[in-house]
Amino acid sequence: MFDFTEMRAALEHGKAAMVKELAEKALAEGVSAEEILNEGLIAAMAVVGDKFKRNEIYVPEVLVAARAMYAGLDVLRPLLAKSGVKKAGKLVIGTVKGDLHDIGKNLVKMMFEGAGYEVVDLGTDVSPAKFVDAVRNERPDLLGMSALLTTTMPSMKSTIEALKEAGLRDEVKVLVGGAPVTSKYASEIGADGYTADASSAVDVAKELVKGK
Ligand code: B1M
């Protein structure tokens, strides 16, 4: 069994090169990309989040930890995104207006790419108008919105309202997620689906698109 202690410590301390090296080592030892993601990268990022919350570390430390997480994700990306099958559908995704957190959104994106979806990534700080334009122009099956701040969650509601105003609400299934988002909130704002993690987002999306 692979010992993730060193990888988690490297990520917590922002040692990107070491995280990359240890992710490669784990893969070479036969550990699955999914296990490295969950037991190594996501577990370490949760510790970083707790320390941030307790003011034991500050924004610069969180940023270097995030950079180290990306170094690990770069190693895993080709494996998580391996597909080769015909496109399962199209997803437009972005982090909502005022919100710059993109690690979770990028994981969701990777999971969809891995499941054979075409993904259009609008990035972070995406306004309702920009989401609406993308739905109009890209004609996706699904619109995914991510929010990590309680203060930016209302932008999901504004985007759904803007889709209604543009006459596009019935054209697309709306999937929402992010740490502060709940399934209760998702139904209150009229989203079609919610998941707490990136892995189950694809399963929920498949169910939604089936009924489309
Ligand atoms: Co910020 N931040 N941050 N931050 N940050 C949080 C979110 C916070 C909870 C930290 C804390 O206080 N404990 C807190 C929010 C409090 C709140 O609103 N309730 C917070 C704050 C306050 C802030 C600032 C305001 C701090 C400041 O400046 N004073 C500021 C805001 C900037 C802005 O956005 N305007 C800020 C800034 C930053 C950094 C830039 C330093 C950095 C972001 C770097 C980046 O993303 N490129 C950062 C980080 C890294 C975090 C924490 C530590 C980690 C977030 C993360 O990436 N987690 C976070 C604490 C925490 O969450 N524990 C925190 C790992 C990621 C894999 O998880 O994003 O939850 P997550 O995604 C999951 C699921 O939620 C789900 O799947 C993913 C994987 O399973 N999911 C979806 C996500 N999107 C989905 C969409 C779906 C489905 C599932 O469908 C479409």
Side-chain angles (χ1 to χ4, degrees):
M1 222 178 107
F2 190 83
D3 182 2
F4 286 100
T5 317
E6 211 184 341
M7 190 187 294
R8 289 189 201 132
L11 192 148
E12 281 175 46
H13 295 105
K15 294 183 178 163
M18 194 183 280
V19 171
K20 177 176 181 282
E21 206 176 288
L22 289 168
E24 284 164 349
K25 184 168 175 257
L27 284 178
E29 288 181 22
V31 184
S32 74
E34 212 157 18
E35 194 178 346
I36 300 170
L37 175 66
N38 292 323
E39 302 300 323
L41 309 186
I42 291 184
M45 205 59 189
V47 175
V48 171
D50 287 344
K51 288 186 174 169
F52 188 39
K53 195 174 175 177
R54 293 195 298 266
N55 289 326
E56 288 170 18
I57 58 170
Y58 299 95
V59 172
E61 286 99 321
V62 180
L63 275 178
V64 287
R67 201 169 57 205
M69 177 147 185
Y70 278 123
L73 286 177
D74 283 345
V75 175
L76 306 183
R77 184 171 290 114
L79 293 152
L80 293 171
K82 204 190 269 171
S83 81
V85 281
K86 88 170 177 47
K87 292 294 168 218
K90 189 171 183 179
L91 166 79
V92 164
I93 191 166
T95 302
V96 298
K97 189 170 166 51
D99 202 322
L100 303 175
H101 296 85
D102 64 357
I103 299 176
K105 183 263 296 167
N106 290 342
L107 276 173
V108 175
K109 173 185 168 178
M110 280 197 311
M111 294 298 168
F112 274 88
E113 285 172 344
Y117 281 75
E118 179 183 352
V119 180
V120 179
D121 183 1
L122 302 178
T124 58
D125 190 21
V126 182
S127 66
K130 197 168 170 196
F131 276 121
V132 168
D133 280 350
V135 169
R136 186 180 289 115
N137 299 329
E138 301 287 346
R139 297 276 160 194
D141 303 291
L142 294 143
L143 173 67
M145 288 186 274
S146 181
L148 264 287
L149 299 170
T150 41
T151 49
T152 58
M153 283 164 61
S155 192
M156 292 177 158
K157 185 170 189 242
S158 311
T159 302
I160 292 173
E161 296 300 327
L163 281 172
K164 283 183 193 157
E165 275 164 34
L168 292 167
R169 179 63 187 94
D170 296 335
E171 303 294 311
V172 71
K173 295 289 182 188
V174 178
L175 183 63
V176 294
V181 182
T182 60
S183 81
K184 183 169 174 280
Y185 184 74
S187 20
E188 273 168 21
I189 63 171
D192 299 298
Y194 156 82
T195 62
D197 60 77
S199 317
S200 44
V202 174
D203 296 333
V204 170
K206 279 185 185 154
E207 283 303 310
L208 289 176
V209 172
K210 213 195 278 175
K212 204 180 152 208

